Amino acid sequence: MTQPQIQTLDAFDPLARKRDQFSIPEGLIYLDGNSLGVLPKGVLGRLEHVVGQEWGTDLIRSWNKHGWMDLPVKVGAKIAHLIGAEADEVVAADSTSVNLFKVLLAALKLRPERKVIVSDIDNFPTDLYIAQGVNELLGGAYELRFVKKDTVEAAIDDSVAVVMLTEVDYRTGYRYDMRRVTEITHQYDAISLWDLAHSAGAFPVRLNHCGADFAVGCGYKYLNGGPGAPAFLFVAKRHQQAAIPFLSGWMGHKAPFAFTPEYAPAEDIRRLTVGTPSVLGMSALDTALDVFADVGMAQLRQKSLKLTDLFMELMEPLCAEYGFELVTPREPERRGSQVSYTHPEGYAIMQALIDSAVIGDFRAPDIVRFGFTPLYLGFADVYEAVERLKTVMGTGKWKEPCFQVREKVT
Ligand SMILES: *Cc1c(COP(=O)(O)O)cnc(C)c1O
C-alpha cells in the first residue's frame, strides 16, 4: 500500500475522531496498548475530583454521596457491554490473578467429582501459577493437564472439571475459537473459564453467545484503566447462586453493614468481591471506559484488522531482508489485535525501536510484539512505525551496547 492510499484510509476512518480523547505524547507511536493502555484525557479531571473533592472534602460521606460503594458493579456493567454479557454478570475487583483464583475455585466446586484442569501450556504464566496454587490448596488432588494449543480439544474428556484458557495468546496473538471450545467443553459437561486479558476492549467478545461459564480480564490493557487498574470477573447468571466465594470477605456478604458474625454471600455477582474497592483505581477505570460509549465494537474490530493487515503487509520486506518471522496467524478469525514476530536479536531491536519513539515490547525468548489499539492509532502511525524500524535495522542502531542491557520490565 502506498502513502497516499494510507492517507485516504485515515481520512475516511470513522474512529479517527476518538484519538482526541487520549493523551498521547507528541511524536510517539504507541504500539503497546495491549500491555498498558494510554491515558484517556477525561481520567485526569475525574481523579482530580475524586481526590480533591470526594476524598479531600467529603471524606467518609462519599461512600454514599459519590457512589463509591457501587463502583464495582457500575464499572462491571460498563465492561459487560463490551464482552457480550449482561450488566449484572460482571463486577470490577481485585487483579486478574486474584479473580482467577476466586472463579477457578468456584468453578471446580461445581464439578466436585472431577479432578482435571485443562489449560494451554503457553498460557500467561500467572494463569498457570494460580492453577498450581489452587491445586496445592486442594491437597494436590488435581491433574493439571497443560497442553499445546493443537491438543487442547483432544485433552477435554469426561474427567475434566474446568477448561481454563486465555482467548488471545499474549505472545503470538493467536485467538481461540471461543464458541467451538466452549461447546466441546460442554459436550463433556465441564466448565469453561476464559481469560479476556487481550480481548476486552480489543474486539467484540460474545461470552453469552458462546455459552461461557466464567471469565476474568484486565483493566489496564485495552480498557485503558491505568497501571494496576482493577480487573473484572464474569459469572454467567445460571451459575451465580451456586458459585461459592471462597475468598469470603465482607464486601461479598449480602449485608456488609449488618456486621453479623456468620458469612452469607450476596445473592448477586457482588458475592465474588472481597474487600473495600480501590476507589481511585475504580474511578479512573470508570471514566476510561466512557471512551467506548459511542463506539461500535464491530467497527472497532474492522479497523483493528485493517491496521494489523497493513502492518503485516509493510513488514514483509523487512522479514525477507532482516529475518523477522511472523508468528501471528494471518486468518482474521484466529488473531486478536496484536502482531508478533520472532527475531534472535528481538530484545535489542525493540530497545532501539523504543529509542526511536515507537513503543512495542519484547517477550522472552525472542518475540517482538506490537499491539494495535484502534481508538488512538491511525494508518499513518503504522506506516511511520515500520519506517522507523527500517531505519533501526538499516543503520544497525540496534547493535549499540546500550540496547543490550536487560531491564526488569521488558
Ligand atoms: C496481563 C495478563 C494478566 C495480568 O494479571 P495481573 O493479575 O493483572 O498481573 C493475567 N492473565 C493474562 C492472560 C494476561 O495477559
Side-chain angles (χ1 to χ4, degrees), residues 332-345:
E333 284 308 304
R334 291 285 67 78
R335 59 185 155 96
S337 201
Q338 69 177 67
V339 180
S340 303
Y341 297 86
T342 56
H343 192 290
E345 299 295 341

Side-chain angles (χ1 to χ4, degrees), residues 150-167:
D150 55 359
T151 47
V152 162
E153 289 182 10
I156 306 171
D157 57 33
D158 53 20
S159 67
V160 174
V162 173
V163 177
M164 180 190 96
L165 296 169
T166 299
E167 185 185 13

